[in-house]
Amino acid sequence: MRSNLCTLAAGDPAAFEAEMRARRAAFWDARPFTYYTGAEPHHLEHSRAPLFVSATRLARYATTGDAWPARTATAWAGDSGAYTAHMGNNPNHPWHQDADVYGGMWVRFMEECGRHPDFVAPQDWPCEPGVRARTGYTVRDHQELTVWSYQYLAEQFPMVPWLPVLQGWTLREYLECADMYERAGVDLADMPRVGLGSVCRRGAQTDVAAIVTALAARGYRLHGFGVSLNALRLVGHLLASADSQAWSATARAEGIRLDGCTHTARDGVTPTDCRNCFRYAMAYRAEVEQAMSEAADARARAEQLALFDLVAA
């Protein structure tokens, strides 16, 4: 017999919270891995695939008063653009804004878009050595500032689905950051998503694999920021979602231009590569899906062989 949530909430708040936690867990556990393709705001209007839109791209709509560029029916999520904010030289980057301005910006995006994002990153502090060299702060400082940002935004703008983001550089540091959230009263295992930052610019994918494996073992539904194809092949099965705009960098670096593409430079004449081509973004997405499928098949075969070995023994 299905419980009456209204009656439960009024008579037994603890039972109500437990019931809602179970329902949220069942909902998110039933969802397959989601890959968010990094894209421009106007792509929301016609995309059928989940997109990842950065505050870097969206900020002009908050500062100029322009209307949202498109309505959307597709799933999407929002990024703070923290790495770009730290490594660039734009003091007007939205990440640098006051927390209330930043939170209000995302509220406006949500209202005008027509569909709420799956999650939005707070003003998190990446822990790559290059970023820390710029700020002069320690990993611990970056972690504490990240946790504070999440707490403040979640309290002041509860209508936004803020994403708690784990930051660090070593495995031990990521675990310490998780413990900071827990001490602050944030039950990460109960969250729809937990962001994993500072992993997309690492040379050794085995480091990423070790971090993801340890955090997934805690029951976290992880979102990997900018996780590479090679890393997805290793630990994609342990992630709930990931995003990447690597397609743009790949097109630029390899000079990729799909047959039939007609985009040109600003002169309107010179052909350009597909670095801003949504058609190529979707082609790259198909490569990601294929890589995930191959990884899943490989894991299934390995598990089957292990089972045969166990039975034979």
Side-chain angles (χ1 to χ4, degrees), residues 237-282:
H237 62 295
L238 298 177
L239 296 171
S241 58
D243 70 85
S244 177
Q245 196 161 358
W247 61 270
S248 181
T250 299
R252 183 185 301 110
E254 300 180 12
I256 295 173
R257 181 180 171 86
L258 298 179
D259 291 340
C261 281
T262 59
H263 34 73
T264 61
R266 291 184 179 181
D267 61 13
V269 177
T270 307
T272 60
D273 57 44
C274 288
R275 70 184 66 182
N276 297 313
C277 175
F278 190 71
R279 182 172 164 233
Y280 177 65
M282 292 297 100

mmCIF file of all heavy atoms in Angstrom, residues 237-282:
data_model
loop_
_atom_site.group_PDB
_atom_site.id
_atom_site.type_symbol
_atom_site.label_atom_id
_atom_site.label_comp_id
_atom_site.label_asym_id
_atom_site.label_seq_id
_atom_site.Cartn_x
_atom_site.Cartn_y
_atom_site.Cartn_z
ATOM 1 N N HIS A 237 31.889 2.980 -16.100
ATOM 2 C CA HIS A 237 30.815 2.220 -15.454
ATOM 3 C C HIS A 237 30.604 2.635 -14.008
ATOM 4 O O HIS A 237 29.573 2.314 -13.406
ATOM 5 C CB HIS A 237 31.131 0.727 -15.515
ATOM 6 C CG HIS A 237 32.375 0.334 -14.787
ATOM 7 N ND1 HIS A 237 33.627 0.762 -15.172
ATOM 8 C CD2 HIS A 237 32.572 -0.437 -13.684
ATOM 9 C CE1 HIS A 237 34.534 0.264 -14.359
ATOM 10 N NE2 HIS A 237 33.928 -0.451 -13.440
ATOM 11 N N LEU A 238 31.573 3.356 -13.423
ATOM 12 C CA LEU A 238 31.458 3.806 -12.036
ATOM 13 C C LEU A 238 30.916 5.238 -11.933
ATOM 14 O O LEU A 238 30.690 5.730 -10.830
ATOM 15 C CB LEU A 238 32.821 3.736 -11.343
ATOM 16 C CG LEU A 238 33.442 2.338 -11.229
ATOM 17 C CD1 LEU A 238 34.821 2.421 -10.593
ATOM 18 C CD2 LEU A 238 32.532 1.403 -10.434
ATOM 19 N N LEU A 239 30.725 5.882 -13.073
ATOM 20 C CA LEU A 239 30.216 7.255 -13.093
ATOM 21 C C LEU A 239 28.728 7.268 -13.405
ATOM 22 O O LEU A 239 28.234 6.437 -14.176
ATOM 23 C CB LEU A 239 30.952 8.082 -14.146
ATOM 24 C CG LEU A 239 32.452 8.312 -13.936
ATOM 25 C CD1 LEU A 239 33.059 8.968 -15.180
ATOM 26 C CD2 LEU A 239 32.694 9.170 -12.704
ATOM 27 N N ALA A 240 28.019 8.214 -12.825
ATOM 28 C CA ALA A 240 26.613 8.414 -13.164
ATOM 29 C C ALA A 240 26.493 9.304 -14.394
ATOM 30 O O ALA A 240 25.546 9.183 -15.173
ATOM 31 C CB ALA A 240 25.865 9.038 -11.992
ATOM 32 N N SER A 241 27.473 10.198 -14.562
ATOM 33 C CA SER A 241 27.451 11.102 -15.713
ATOM 34 C C SER A 241 28.829 11.720 -15.899
ATOM 35 O O SER A 241 29.697 11.631 -15.033
ATOM 36 C CB SER A 241 26.401 12.215 -15.518
ATOM 37 O OG SER A 241 26.659 12.954 -14.330
ATOM 38 N N ALA A 242 29.014 12.334 -17.053
ATOM 39 C CA ALA A 242 30.259 13.031 -17.357
ATOM 40 C C ALA A 242 29.965 14.068 -18.429
ATOM 41 O O ALA A 242 28.918 14.030 -19.083
ATOM 42 C CB ALA A 242 31.337 12.056 -17.829
ATOM 43 N N ASP A 243 30.891 14.998 -18.593
ATOM 44 C CA ASP A 243 30.743 15.996 -19.652
ATOM 45 C C ASP A 243 32.085 16.189 -20.327
ATOM 46 O O ASP A 243 33.133 15.809 -19.787
ATOM 47 C CB ASP A 243 30.271 17.341 -19.082
ATOM 48 C CG ASP A 243 31.370 18.014 -18.263
ATOM 49 O OD1 ASP A 243 32.223 18.708 -18.854
ATOM 50 O OD2 ASP A 243 31.393 17.833 -17.029
ATOM 51 N N SER A 244 32.061 16.795 -21.503
ATOM 52 C CA SER A 244 33.301 17.131 -22.189
ATOM 53 C C SER A 244 33.018 18.034 -23.373
ATOM 54 O O SER A 244 31.985 17.905 -24.030
ATOM 55 C CB SER A 244 34.014 15.869 -22.672
ATOM 56 O OG SER A 244 35.187 16.207 -23.400
ATOM 57 N N GLN A 245 33.951 18.940 -23.613
ATOM 58 C CA GLN A 245 33.930 19.719 -24.839
ATOM 59 C C GLN A 245 35.201 19.412 -25.636
ATOM 60 O O GLN A 245 35.672 20.221 -26.426
ATOM 61 C CB GLN A 245 33.836 21.224 -24.546
ATOM 62 C CG GLN A 245 33.416 22.021 -25.774
ATOM 63 C CD GLN A 245 32.869 23.400 -25.431
ATOM 64 O OE1 GLN A 245 32.764 23.774 -24.281
ATOM 65 N NE2 GLN A 245 32.515 24.145 -26.463
ATOM 66 N N ALA A 246 35.732 18.210 -25.421
ATOM 67 C CA ALA A 246 36.954 17.799 -26.107
ATOM 68 C C ALA A 246 36.766 17.756 -27.612
ATOM 69 O O ALA A 246 37.737 17.856 -28.367
ATOM 70 C CB ALA A 246 37.397 16.427 -25.595
ATOM 71 N N TRP A 247 35.529 17.610 -28.058
ATOM 72 C CA TRP A 247 35.285 17.575 -29.495
ATOM 73 C C TRP A 247 35.798 18.843 -30.185
ATOM 74 O O TRP A 247 36.352 18.787 -31.288
ATOM 75 C CB TRP A 247 33.786 17.392 -29.779
ATOM 76 C CG TRP A 247 32.908 18.498 -29.256
ATOM 77 C CD1 TRP A 247 32.312 18.569 -28.034
ATOM 78 C CD2 TRP A 247 32.541 19.693 -29.947
ATOM 79 N NE1 TRP A 247 31.596 19.727 -27.909
ATOM 80 C CE2 TRP A 247 31.707 20.441 -29.066
ATOM 81 C CE3 TRP A 247 32.811 20.205 -31.218
ATOM 82 C CZ2 TRP A 247 31.161 21.674 -29.417
ATOM 83 C CZ3 TRP A 247 32.267 21.435 -31.572
ATOM 84 C CH2 TRP A 247 31.457 22.146 -30.671
ATOM 85 N N SER A 248 35.636 19.983 -29.526
ATOM 86 C CA SER A 248 36.081 21.253 -30.114
ATOM 87 C C SER A 248 37.601 21.302 -30.220
ATOM 88 O O SER A 248 38.155 21.680 -31.258
ATOM 89 C CB SER A 248 35.568 22.421 -29.269
ATOM 90 O OG SER A 248 35.963 23.651 -29.834
ATOM 91 N N ALA A 249 38.288 20.898 -29.132
ATOM 92 C CA ALA A 249 39.749 20.895 -29.145
ATOM 93 C C ALA A 249 40.285 19.893 -30.160
ATOM 94 O O ALA A 249 41.293 20.147 -30.833
ATOM 95 C CB ALA A 249 40.274 20.566 -27.757
ATOM 96 N N THR A 250 39.611 18.751 -30.294
ATOM 97 C CA THR A 250 40.039 17.736 -31.258
ATOM 98 C C THR A 250 39.917 18.255 -32.686
ATOM 99 O O THR A 250 40.833 18.090 -33.508
ATOM 100 C CB THR A 250 39.193 16.462 -31.095
ATOM 101 O OG1 THR A 250 39.373 15.942 -29.776
ATOM 102 C CG2 THR A 250 39.599 15.405 -32.110
ATOM 103 N N ALA A 251 38.793 18.894 -32.983
ATOM 104 C CA ALA A 251 38.595 19.443 -34.337
ATOM 105 C C ALA A 251 39.638 20.501 -34.648
ATOM 106 O O ALA A 251 40.158 20.570 -35.770
ATOM 107 C CB ALA A 251 37.187 20.021 -34.453
ATOM 108 N N ARG A 252 39.963 21.321 -33.653
ATOM 109 C CA ARG A 252 40.950 22.385 -33.851
ATOM 110 C C ARG A 252 42.347 21.799 -34.056
ATOM 111 O O ARG A 252 43.071 22.175 -34.976
ATOM 112 C CB ARG A 252 40.946 23.319 -32.648
ATOM 113 C CG ARG A 252 41.889 24.499 -32.771
ATOM 114 C CD ARG A 252 41.930 25.321 -31.488
ATOM 115 N NE ARG A 252 40.622 25.839 -31.122
ATOM 116 C CZ ARG A 252 39.922 25.421 -30.073
ATOM 117 N NH1 ARG A 252 40.425 24.474 -29.289
ATOM 118 N NH2 ARG A 252 38.744 25.935 -29.804
ATOM 119 N N ALA A 253 42.715 20.845 -33.191
ATOM 120 C CA ALA A 253 44.065 20.282 -33.241
ATOM 121 C C ALA A 253 44.298 19.444 -34.490
ATOM 122 O O ALA A 253 45.401 19.453 -35.063
ATOM 123 C CB ALA A 253 44.319 19.432 -31.995
ATOM 124 N N GLU A 254 43.271 18.724 -34.941
ATOM 125 C CA GLU A 254 43.430 17.819 -36.077
ATOM 126 C C GLU A 254 42.905 18.388 -37.388
ATOM 127 O O GLU A 254 42.954 17.719 -38.419
ATOM 128 C CB GLU A 254 42.726 16.490 -35.758
ATOM 129 C CG GLU A 254 43.284 15.794 -34.523
ATOM 130 C CD GLU A 254 42.580 14.491 -34.211
ATOM 131 O OE1 GLU A 254 41.818 14.005 -35.080
ATOM 132 O OE2 GLU A 254 42.790 13.946 -33.109
ATOM 133 N N GLY A 255 42.414 19.629 -37.326
ATOM 134 C CA GLY A 255 41.911 20.256 -38.553
ATOM 135 C C GLY A 255 40.734 19.525 -39.159
ATOM 136 O O GLY A 255 40.596 19.453 -40.388
ATOM 137 N N ILE A 256 39.867 18.988 -38.325
ATOM 138 C CA ILE A 256 38.735 18.196 -38.811
ATOM 139 C C ILE A 256 37.655 19.089 -39.417
ATOM 140 O O ILE A 256 37.248 20.087 -38.822
ATOM 141 C CB ILE A 256 38.143 17.360 -37.669
ATOM 142 C CG1 ILE A 256 39.166 16.332 -37.195
ATOM 143 C CG2 ILE A 256 36.841 16.683 -38.103
ATOM 144 C CD1 ILE A 256 38.748 15.572 -35.952
ATOM 145 N N ARG A 257 37.217 18.701 -40.588
ATOM 146 C CA ARG A 257 36.107 19.385 -41.256
ATOM 147 C C ARG A 257 35.268 18.307 -41.936
ATOM 148 O O ARG A 257 35.714 17.672 -42.897
ATOM 149 C CB ARG A 257 36.611 20.397 -42.284
ATOM 150 C CG ARG A 257 35.489 21.164 -43.006
ATOM 151 C CD ARG A 257 36.079 22.156 -44.002
ATOM 152 N NE ARG A 257 35.075 22.750 -44.857
ATOM 153 C CZ ARG A 257 34.359 23.828 -44.557
ATOM 154 N NH1 ARG A 257 34.579 24.444 -43.402
ATOM 155 N NH2 ARG A 257 33.462 24.313 -45.385
ATOM 156 N N LEU A 258 34.087 18.085 -41.443
ATOM 157 C CA LEU A 258 33.232 17.035 -41.969
ATOM 158 C C LEU A 258 32.774 17.349 -43.391
ATOM 159 O O LEU A 258 32.581 18.515 -43.753
ATOM 160 C CB LEU A 258 32.007 16.856 -41.072
ATOM 161 C CG LEU A 258 32.248 16.423 -39.627
ATOM 162 C CD1 LEU A 258 30.926 16.311 -38.890
ATOM 163 C CD2 LEU A 258 33.005 15.103 -39.569
ATOM 164 N N ASP A 259 32.611 16.291 -44.172
ATOM 165 C CA ASP A 259 32.066 16.470 -45.523
ATOM 166 C C ASP A 259 30.684 17.104 -45.431
ATOM 167 O O ASP A 259 29.852 16.699 -44.622
ATOM 168 C CB ASP A 259 31.962 15.122 -46.236
ATOM 169 C CG ASP A 259 33.320 14.527 -46.564
ATOM 170 O OD1 ASP A 259 34.295 15.298 -46.595
ATOM 171 O OD2 ASP A 259 33.386 13.299 -46.801
ATOM 172 N N GLY A 260 30.473 18.102 -46.245
ATOM 173 C CA GLY A 260 29.178 18.765 -46.253
ATOM 174 C C GLY A 260 29.098 19.989 -45.369
ATOM 175 O O GLY A 260 28.133 20.762 -45.448
ATOM 176 N N CYS A 261 30.100 20.201 -44.504
ATOM 177 C CA CYS A 261 30.095 21.384 -43.641
ATOM 178 C C CYS A 261 30.420 22.625 -44.470
ATOM 179 O O CYS A 261 31.305 22.602 -45.341
ATOM 180 C CB CYS A 261 31.110 21.235 -42.513
ATOM 181 S SG CYS A 261 30.513 20.190 -41.150
ATOM 182 N N THR A 262 29.734 23.695 -44.186
ATOM 183 C CA THR A 262 29.893 24.923 -44.973
ATOM 184 C C THR A 262 30.348 26.107 -44.137
ATOM 185 O O THR A 262 30.375 27.236 -44.624
ATOM 186 C CB THR A 262 28.561 25.286 -45.656
ATOM 187 O OG1 THR A 262 27.544 25.474 -44.661
ATOM 188 C CG2 THR A 262 28.128 24.190 -46.620
ATOM 189 N N HIS A 263 30.700 25.893 -42.857
ATOM 190 C CA HIS A 263 31.062 27.022 -41.999
ATOM 191 C C HIS A 263 32.367 27.666 -42.468
ATOM 192 O O HIS A 263 33.280 26.998 -42.969
ATOM 193 C CB HIS A 263 31.148 26.611 -40.529
ATOM 194 C CG HIS A 263 31.648 25.224 -40.303
ATOM 195 N ND1 HIS A 263 32.953 24.853 -40.474
ATOM 196 C CD2 HIS A 263 30.983 24.098 -39.912
ATOM 197 C CE1 HIS A 263 33.102 23.576 -40.187
ATOM 198 N NE2 HIS A 263 31.922 23.086 -39.851
ATOM 199 N N THR A 264 32.412 28.978 -42.296
ATOM 200 C CA THR A 264 33.563 29.757 -42.743
ATOM 201 C C THR A 264 34.041 30.692 -41.639
ATOM 202 O O THR A 264 33.383 30.852 -40.604
ATOM 203 C CB THR A 264 33.200 30.605 -43.977
ATOM 204 O OG1 THR A 264 32.148 31.515 -43.611
ATOM 205 C CG2 THR A 264 32.741 29.729 -45.126
ATOM 206 N N ALA A 265 35.198 31.321 -41.885
ATOM 207 C CA ALA A 265 35.724 32.316 -40.959
ATOM 208 C C ALA A 265 34.864 33.575 -41.037
ATOM 209 O O ALA A 265 33.891 33.642 -41.806
ATOM 210 C CB ALA A 265 37.180 32.627 -41.319
ATOM 211 N N ARG A 266 35.226 34.585 -40.256
ATOM 212 C CA ARG A 266 34.418 35.799 -40.212
ATOM 213 C C ARG A 266 34.357 36.533 -41.551
ATOM 214 O O ARG A 266 33.460 37.341 -41.780
ATOM 215 C CB ARG A 266 34.970 36.739 -39.141
ATOM 216 C CG ARG A 266 34.761 36.203 -37.711
ATOM 217 C CD ARG A 266 35.225 37.203 -36.677
ATOM 218 N NE ARG A 266 34.998 36.705 -35.324
ATOM 219 C CZ ARG A 266 35.283 37.383 -34.220
ATOM 220 N NH1 ARG A 266 35.842 38.599 -34.317
ATOM 221 N NH2 ARG A 266 35.043 36.865 -33.032
ATOM 222 N N ASP A 267 35.338 36.221 -42.429
ATOM 223 C CA ASP A 267 35.300 36.882 -43.738
ATOM 224 C C ASP A 267 34.231 36.307 -44.639
ATOM 225 O O ASP A 267 33.969 36.816 -45.730
ATOM 226 C CB ASP A 267 36.674 36.795 -44.418
ATOM 227 C CG ASP A 267 37.117 35.351 -44.665
ATOM 228 O OD1 ASP A 267 36.295 34.434 -44.540
ATOM 229 O OD2 ASP A 267 38.321 35.153 -44.973
ATOM 230 N N GLY A 268 33.596 35.198 -44.180
ATOM 231 C CA GLY A 268 32.521 34.601 -44.953
ATOM 232 C C GLY A 268 32.995 33.784 -46.132
ATOM 233 O O GLY A 268 32.174 33.278 -46.908
ATOM 234 N N VAL A 269 34.299 33.614 -46.275
ATOM 235 C CA VAL A 269 34.841 32.923 -47.442
ATOM 236 C C VAL A 269 35.746 31.753 -47.042
ATOM 237 O O VAL A 269 35.602 30.639 -47.536
ATOM 238 C CB VAL A 269 35.647 33.905 -48.339
ATOM 239 C CG1 VAL A 269 36.276 33.151 -49.509
ATOM 240 C CG2 VAL A 269 34.753 35.030 -48.819
ATOM 241 N N THR A 270 36.665 31.997 -46.123
ATOM 242 C CA THR A 270 37.667 31.000 -45.750
ATOM 243 C C THR A 270 37.026 29.839 -44.981
ATOM 244 O O THR A 270 36.420 30.051 -43.931
ATOM 245 C CB THR A 270 38.762 31.625 -44.876
ATOM 246 O OG1 THR A 270 39.299 32.772 -45.536
ATOM 247 C CG2 THR A 270 39.870 30.617 -44.610
ATOM 248 N N PRO A 271 37.155 28.599 -45.488
ATOM 249 C CA PRO A 271 36.601 27.443 -44.772
ATOM 250 C C PRO A 271 37.300 27.257 -43.426
ATOM 251 O O PRO A 271 38.492 27.498 -43.296
ATOM 252 C CB PRO A 271 36.906 26.269 -45.715
ATOM 253 C CG PRO A 271 37.131 26.893 -47.048
ATOM 254 C CD PRO A 271 37.772 28.220 -46.776
ATOM 255 N N THR A 272 36.565 26.858 -42.429
ATOM 256 C CA THR A 272 37.138 26.620 -41.103
ATOM 257 C C THR A 272 36.877 25.179 -40.676
ATOM 258 O O THR A 272 36.020 24.487 -41.231
ATOM 259 C CB THR A 272 36.530 27.564 -40.057
ATOM 260 O OG1 THR A 272 35.105 27.350 -40.003
ATOM 261 C CG2 THR A 272 36.806 29.019 -40.405
ATOM 262 N N ASP A 273 37.637 24.752 -39.654
ATOM 263 C CA ASP A 273 37.433 23.408 -39.122
ATOM 264 C C ASP A 273 36.146 23.369 -38.292
ATOM 265 O O ASP A 273 35.432 24.376 -38.173
ATOM 266 C CB ASP A 273 38.643 22.966 -38.293
ATOM 267 C CG ASP A 273 38.955 23.924 -37.151
ATOM 268 O OD1 ASP A 273 38.003 24.346 -36.460
ATOM 269 O OD2 ASP A 273 40.139 24.264 -36.945
ATOM 270 N N CYS A 274 35.887 22.207 -37.704
ATOM 271 C CA CYS A 274 34.611 21.990 -37.009
ATOM 272 C C CYS A 274 34.680 22.279 -35.508
ATOM 273 O O CYS A 274 33.920 21.687 -34.729
ATOM 274 C CB CYS A 274 34.144 20.551 -37.238
ATOM 275 S SG CYS A 274 33.563 20.215 -38.911
ATOM 276 N N ARG A 275 35.542 23.195 -35.095
ATOM 277 C CA ARG A 275 35.674 23.482 -33.663
ATOM 278 C C ARG A 275 34.409 24.071 -33.058
ATOM 279 O O ARG A 275 34.199 23.990 -31.839
ATOM 280 C CB ARG A 275 36.843 24.435 -33.440
ATOM 281 C CG ARG A 275 36.623 25.851 -33.942
ATOM 282 C CD ARG A 275 37.836 26.717 -33.772
ATOM 283 N NE ARG A 275 38.951 26.277 -34.609
ATOM 284 C CZ ARG A 275 40.145 26.854 -34.606
ATOM 285 N NH1 ARG A 275 40.394 27.865 -33.792
ATOM 286 N NH2 ARG A 275 41.094 26.414 -35.408
ATOM 287 N N ASN A 276 33.557 24.678 -33.876
ATOM 288 C CA ASN A 276 32.290 25.237 -33.387
ATOM 289 C C ASN A 276 31.086 24.573 -34.048
ATOM 290 O O ASN A 276 29.997 25.145 -34.067
ATOM 291 C CB ASN A 276 32.242 26.747 -33.635
ATOM 292 C CG ASN A 276 33.318 27.494 -32.876
ATOM 293 O OD1 ASN A 276 33.519 27.264 -31.687
ATOM 294 N ND2 ASN A 276 34.040 28.381 -33.555
ATOM 295 N N CYS A 277 31.298 23.387 -34.550
ATOM 296 C CA CYS A 277 30.279 22.697 -35.355
ATOM 297 C C CYS A 277 29.488 21.705 -34.501
ATOM 298 O O CYS A 277 30.050 20.720 -34.009
ATOM 299 C CB CYS A 277 30.965 21.985 -36.522
ATOM 300 S SG CYS A 277 29.866 20.979 -37.532
ATOM 301 N N PHE A 278 28.210 21.953 -34.341
ATOM 302 C CA PHE A 278 27.392 21.073 -33.522
ATOM 303 C C PHE A 278 27.246 19.699 -34.166
ATOM 304 O O PHE A 278 27.122 18.688 -33.471
ATOM 305 C CB PHE A 278 26.005 21.687 -33.303
ATOM 306 C CG PHE A 278 25.189 20.959 -32.279
ATOM 307 C CD1 PHE A 278 25.516 21.028 -30.932
ATOM 308 C CD2 PHE A 278 24.096 20.189 -32.648
ATOM 309 C CE1 PHE A 278 24.769 20.350 -29.977
ATOM 310 C CE2 PHE A 278 23.341 19.516 -31.702
ATOM 311 C CZ PHE A 278 23.682 19.600 -30.364
ATOM 312 N N ARG A 279 27.293 19.661 -35.475
ATOM 313 C CA ARG A 279 27.226 18.380 -36.186
ATOM 314 C C ARG A 279 28.408 17.497 -35.794
ATOM 315 O O ARG A 279 28.246 16.306 -35.541
ATOM 316 C CB ARG A 279 27.231 18.646 -37.688
ATOM 317 C CG ARG A 279 27.118 17.398 -38.549
ATOM 318 C CD ARG A 279 26.938 17.762 -40.008
ATOM 319 N NE ARG A 279 27.203 16.638 -40.869
ATOM 320 C CZ ARG A 279 28.038 16.652 -41.892
ATOM 321 N NH1 ARG A 279 28.715 17.770 -42.168
ATOM 322 N NH2 ARG A 279 28.215 15.589 -42.637
ATOM 323 N N TYR A 280 29.596 18.095 -35.713
ATOM 324 C CA TYR A 280 30.756 17.307 -35.297
ATOM 325 C C TYR A 280 30.670 16.963 -33.809
ATOM 326 O O TYR A 280 31.103 15.894 -33.396
ATOM 327 C CB TYR A 280 32.061 18.058 -35.576
ATOM 328 C CG TYR A 280 33.263 17.289 -35.087
ATOM 329 C CD1 TYR A 280 33.596 16.060 -35.656
ATOM 330 C CD2 TYR A 280 34.040 17.750 -34.021
ATOM 331 C CE1 TYR A 280 34.663 15.319 -35.187
ATOM 332 C CE2 TYR A 280 35.111 17.008 -33.549
ATOM 333 C CZ TYR A 280 35.426 15.799 -34.131
ATOM 334 O OH TYR A 280 36.471 15.063 -33.645
ATOM 335 N N ALA A 281 30.104 17.848 -33.012
ATOM 336 C CA ALA A 281 29.937 17.560 -31.591
ATOM 337 C C ALA A 281 29.123 16.287 -31.395
ATOM 338 O O ALA A 281 29.435 15.450 -30.541
ATOM 339 C CB ALA A 281 29.255 18.736 -30.892
ATOM 340 N N MET A 282 28.083 16.110 -32.203
ATOM 341 C CA MET A 282 27.261 14.916 -32.103
ATOM 342 C C MET A 282 27.990 13.684 -32.642
ATOM 343 O O MET A 282 27.800 12.563 -32.150
ATOM 344 C CB MET A 282 25.944 15.121 -32.850
ATOM 345 C CG MET A 282 25.030 16.152 -32.188
ATOM 346 S SD MET A 282 24.476 15.678 -30.510
ATOM 347 C CE MET A 282 25.612 16.657 -29.493
#
